[in-house]
């Protein structure tokens, strides 16, 4: 329902252009559609906090092939936000294809009962982890089916 999501996020931004994370979520939808240039335009407008803005830029720069910029921002992100945003870090590593790191941070997120961990089953940013035995093990911990 990506087109419907775009309409909804644009409506939110029409009502409140500074709504926290709306630009990030709209940017994520554009990334899922394979439109990283549109995603970047949204990520650059995010005002909901440095952690969210950085997250959006990291995944978008990576999608654009701007690995050096993505790596630099990721290093800074890890210094500043590692203790509070383990799930987001797992998403970033998953997008980059760094599965071992992604699972490392998913385990950390699970152990501290990070609220975002509940997105595990349906998170499109983690789709390349599906099928991995570690993914199935995490779903089992949540009593969720692996299919």
């Amino acid at each position: 329902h990506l087109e419907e999501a775009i309409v909804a996020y644009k409506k939110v931004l029409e009502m409140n252009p500074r709504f926290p994370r709306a630009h990030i979520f709209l940017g994520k939808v554009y990334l899922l559609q394979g439109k990283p240039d549109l995603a970047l335009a949204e990520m650059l407008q995010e005002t909901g906090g440095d952690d969210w803005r950085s997250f959006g830029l990291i995944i978008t720069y990576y999608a654009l092939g701007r690995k050096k910029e993505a790596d630099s921002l990721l290093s800074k992100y890890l210094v500043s936000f590692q203790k509070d945003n383990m799930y987001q870090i797992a998403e970033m590593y998953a997008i980059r294809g760094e599965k071992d790191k992604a699972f490392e941070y998913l385990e950390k997120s699970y152990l501290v009962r990070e609220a975002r961990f509940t997105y595990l089953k349906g998170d499109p940013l983690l789709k390349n982890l599906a099928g991995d035995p570690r993914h199935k093990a995490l779903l089992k911990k949540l009593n969720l089916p692996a299919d």
Side-chain angles (χ1 to χ4, degrees), residues 8-141:
Y9 288 127
K10 285 184 175 183
K11 181 70 173 174
V12 167
L13 288 166
E14 181 183 306
M15 293 173 10
N16 180 357
R18 298 182 55 84
F19 191 89
R21 297 179 299 282
H23 287 289
I24 293 297
F25 295 135
L26 180 53
K28 282 172 56 174
V29 173
Y30 286 137
L31 284 176
L32 293 170
Q33 289 184 322
K35 300 175 182 175
D37 291 324
L38 291 176
L40 181 59
E42 294 301 326
M43 302 304 186
L44 290 169
Q45 294 180 68
E46 179 58 42
T47 60
D50 288 341
D51 57 337
W52 282 99
R53 188 171 202 267
S54 294
F55 167 77
L57 290 173
I58 291 164
I59 62 175
T60 304
Y61 285 153
Y62 190 81
L64 286 165
R66 294 166 60 175
K67 189 176 181 316
K68 186 175 180 180
E69 291 164 283
D71 290 350
S72 175
L73 275 176
L74 178 56
S75 293
K76 292 174 187 172
Y77 190 96
L78 291 172
V79 169
S80 299
F81 305 113
Q82 186 169 188
K83 292 181 182 176
D84 298 318
N85 296 328
M86 291 169 271
Y87 187 85
Q88 282 181 308
I89 294 168
E91 288 177 311
M92 289 184 266
Y93 279 123
I95 288 168
R96 297 163 63 94
E98 297 181 41
K99 290 183 179 185
D100 291 340
K101 284 284 199 183
F103 282 113
E104 174 187 335
Y105 279 94
L106 284 173
E107 278 293 337
K108 290 178 181 182
S109 177
Y110 172 78
L111 289 172
V112 299
R113 306 224 186 283
E114 197 173 21
R116 286 182 224 135
F117 188 80
T118 58
Y119 303 150
L120 176 71
K121 178 124 174 117
D123 188 339
L125 298 182
L126 300 178
K127 69 181 176 183
N128 67 343
L129 302 180
D132 188 294
R134 295 170 289 185
H135 188 259
K136 290 178 182 178
L138 287 171
L139 291 173
K140 187 175 181 179
K141 287 180 182 182

